[in-house]
Amino acid sequence: MCGYTSRLALLVVALCLSLSPRVRALKGAEELAMADYPWQTTVQNGVVTDVLYPGTAVDRLRSVLGNVLALGSLDGPWTEVRRQLLAAGGLKDDRSTGHAFNDDNHCDLTTMRSEESFKQNEDGSVAQISRRNQLGPHIQAASLPELGVGGSWSTCTNGAHITPPNDVAHVQFSSRIAFKLVWVPPKFEEFVLVDDEGRELKRGRPTGQVPHISARQSNFALVKGGKYAQAAEAIAAGGGGGDCKQAGGDGSTCAAA
């Protein structure tokens, strides 16, 4: 009986601690931070919409950021690391996504609203991209629904060195990227994941059959001169990559700050 009473007392103490104002405040802050969206939004027709890039699937992007920040080590075999990146981004690992992160260009994880996914660069606004860049059916088939409404895709990086970016995500889909993979010079043995402002989210040093060295070099060349190269350049110089918890140039903050 005494043993039972002691256990009951311990449970009561634990419950009281979990409900203390300080603990509740901390838990509330964590939940608020994870629920926060890093950029300005408005509500249009009952849907939370990104002000600058209204094609963004806001809830889905928030989910992807949370997944990325929760990832463990990205230093293992490339096949497994790439599989983790796809899952975090809300994409199936199948034939249609075999190009994702495996070349120099398809390194943007983009979350777009369903109605945006069928746009195809008809007016040629994105340079060096077909005017019939119809990705809608592939996006629908490969996107994991549990991350939220809309879809995900690994879109092309080219045009990301310009401010504002003139790439598939921002122009064709009017969407922010959830993250971009950038290989770090000069050896290109390490990559960094950055958010839409170029702030570091995660980095990894994968092993095994990584993309060819020419693809890794070209990947960095595609962003060189723009904000998405800055984290990789800082790492190469021996510093940090620009923590995602810092404020962005537009006053935004990282989703999990």
Side-chain angles (χ1 to χ4, degrees), residues 236-251:
D243 196 325
C244 69
K245 296 181 181 179
Q246 297 175 353
D250 61 355

Side-chain angles (χ1 to χ4, degrees), residues 28 43 100 109 116 129 133 145 165 169 179 189 230 240 242 247 249 251 253-254:
V43 177
L109 196 291
E116 297 291 327
I129 296 294
N133 189 36
F179 67 85
E189 296 173 345
Q230 292 174 2
T253 56
C254 179

Side-chain angles (χ1 to χ4, degrees), residues 24-87:
R24 288 200 303 269
L26 288 173
K27 289 181 68 176
E30 291 173 356
E31 291 169 358
L32 177 63
M34 289 306 294
D36 192 23
Y37 183 72
W39 297 279
Q40 186 178 359
T41 60
T42 186
V43 177
Q44 296 181 352
N45 300 319
V47 178
V48 178
T49 303
D50 187 290
V51 171
L52 288 182
Y53 294 100
T56 308
V58 170
D59 286 340
R60 194 173 181 87
L61 188 147
R62 183 189 293 118
S63 296
V64 173
L65 284 177
N67 287 347
V68 170
L69 292 170
L71 287 173
S73 173
L74 296 176
D75 294 346
W78 171 244
T79 53
E80 178 56 30
V81 168
R82 197 183 77 88
R83 190 174 296 118
Q84 290 184 66
L85 297 180
L86 289 171

Side-chain angles (χ1 to χ4, degrees), residues 169-192:
H170 295 90
V171 178
Q172 180 173 327
F173 295 131
S174 299
S175 172
R176 295 186 187 272
I177 59 166
F179 67 85
K180 182 191 297 288
L181 184 150
V182 181
W183 289 95
V184 177
K187 294 184 178 180
F188 302 99
E189 296 173 345
E190 182 178 18
F191 67 79
V192 59

Side-chain angles (χ1 to χ4, degrees), residues 175-253:
S175 172
R176 295 186 187 272
I177 59 166
F179 67 85
K180 182 191 297 288
L181 184 150
V182 181
W183 289 95
V184 177
K187 294 184 178 180
F188 302 99
E189 296 173 345
E190 182 178 18
F191 67 79
V192 59
L193 303 181
V194 297
D195 73 356
D196 196 66
E197 292 299 323
R199 298 168 295 208
E200 179 179 352
L201 297 169
K202 285 282 184 177
R203 64 178 79 173
R205 188 180 291 269
T207 59
Q209 295 183 336
V210 298
H212 191 270
I213 182 61
S214 62
R216 288 175 276 150
Q217 292 170 331
S218 177
N219 164 266
F220 177 75
L222 286 171
V223 297
K224 187 175 181 180
K227 63 182 179 181
Y228 297 116
Q230 292 174 2
E233 290 168 340
I235 294 170
D243 196 325
C244 69
K245 296 181 181 179
Q246 297 175 353
D250 61 355
S252 63
T253 56

